[in-house]
Amino acid sequence: MKQKSVDTVEFAKAIADETRQKIMAICCCELLSVNDIVEKTNVAQPTVSHHLKILKTAGLVRSERRGKQVLYTLNQERMAEGCCQVAENFAPEHPVERMG
Amino acid sequence: MKQKSVDTVEFAKAIADETRQKIMAICCCELLSVNDIVEKTNVAQPTVSHHLKILKTAGLVRSERRGKQVLYTLNQERMAEGCCQVAENFAPEHPVERMG
DNA sequence: TTGACATATTGAAGAACATCGATATAATAT
DNA sequence: ATATTATATCGATGTTCTTCAATATGTCAA
């Protein structure tokens, strides 16, 4: 049962921005609209949409439309996969494993 | 016993480059000179030095001079810490733990 | 179908970054 | 001291990225 492989460069690039990590933290355990995120981050709406697109393309957020809004949430599963793959590649002698 | 905290933005930025990940992979389990890395990557020497400096600043490689050479090796400990911190921040419901 | 609201896309400007040739610094041997 | 080898720094160039105003698209209500 081989895991679907993760492109660790794409993964790292996707999370390598302060604004993006702010967004990720905010919608980590919640389903938030773009406007919610705009308000909580004090970042312009096009900027938020841009970052959400990058995260989406990397598979790190899920989105669903509800009426006029589009709700986003962090894909923790993918985050964990990315982290584990990085650790597997670059810390093979300091094992890190997913639990549960 | 709180772990020394990791700046996940700095960590992600440090590993968010293809050439850097090539270098990291190459000196993951070996102590290599800059020239060794140059030869194994087909990247110009100043470029390699530049990337090594970024990794060093982020605490992700260790270096020691041996004669004229400077030997580098990936700091797996720090890599594991970085990965775990990212997972802790962004995948709290999909636990990832360091072993051993 | 018009208006109001929510999000996405476009386009432009500036910042940050990767790359490498040229050169400087460091270490060693003769 | 000088030459040789190894690495680091400098400086310039082109690329990628972030940001946001303006605008387009999508959704729904009246």
Side-chain angles (χ1 to χ4, degrees):
Chain A
M1 44 179 289
K2 186 97 176 302
Q3 279 284 113
K4 179 141 130 277
S5 90
V6 175
D7 179 337
T8 55
V9 174
E10 188 194 14
F11 173 72
K13 283 189 173 172
I15 68 173
D17 179 80
E18 190 177 358
T19 302
R20 229 134 54 217
Q21 286 201 12
K22 236 184 254 177
I23 292 172
M24 288 159 63
I26 285 174
C27 68
C28 179
C29 303
E30 274 185 287
L31 201 54
L32 294 179
S33 73
V34 176
N35 246 322
D36 289 339
I37 297 170
V38 168
E39 284 165 12
K40 295 199 183 201
T41 55
N42 276 328
V43 171
Q45 178 267 314
T47 305
V48 169
S49 278
H50 173 244
H51 287 305
L52 287 170
K53 189 179 186 181
I54 289 171
L55 293 171
K56 185 85 196 263
T57 299
L60 300 182
V61 295
R62 299 188 173 288
S63 64
E64 63 185 71
R65 180 174 279 278
R66 187 174 311 181
K68 309 181 205 176
Q69 319 195 95
V70 179
L71 306 182
Y72 285 86
T73 192
L74 192 62
N75 188 339
Q76 293 192 30
E77 176 83 20
R78 288 291 199 101
M79 284 302 306
E81 283 175 19
C83 292
C84 285
Q85 186 70 59
V86 171
E88 200 175 308
N89 291 359
F90 304 117
E93 292 155 2
H94 288 255
V96 165
E97 288 219 350
R98 301 183 58 191
M99 312 191 66
Chain B
M1 46 179 287
K2 187 102 175 297
Q3 277 286 113
K4 179 143 129 274
S5 89
V6 174
D7 179 337
T8 55
V9 173
E10 188 195 12
F11 173 72
K13 282 188 174 173
I15 67 173
D17 179 82
E18 188 176 0
T19 302
R20 229 136 53 219
Q21 286 203 11
K22 237 184 250 176
I23 292 172
M24 289 160 61
I26 286 174
C27 67
C28 179
C29 303
E30 273 185 288
L31 200 54
L32 294 179
S33 72
V34 176
N35 245 321
D36 289 340
I37 297 170
V38 168
E39 283 164 13
K40 296 199 182 202
T41 55
N42 276 328
V43 172
Q45 179 266 314
T47 304
V48 169
S49 280
H50 172 244
H51 286 304
L52 286 170
K53 189 179 186 181
I54 288 170
L55 292 172
K56 186 84 196 266
T57 299
L60 300 182
V61 295
R62 300 188 173 287
S63 64
E64 63 185 70
R65 181 172 280 277
R66 187 175 308 181
K68 309 183 204 175
Q69 316 194 97
V70 178
L71 306 182
Y72 285 87
T73 191
L74 191 62
N75 188 338
Q76 293 190 30
E77 176 82 19
R78 289 290 200 99
M79 284 302 305
E81 283 175 18
C83 292
C84 285
Q85 187 69 60
V86 171
E88 201 175 307
N89 290 0
F90 304 116
E93 292 156 1
H94 288 255
V96 164
E97 288 219 351
R98 302 183 58 191
M99 312 191 65

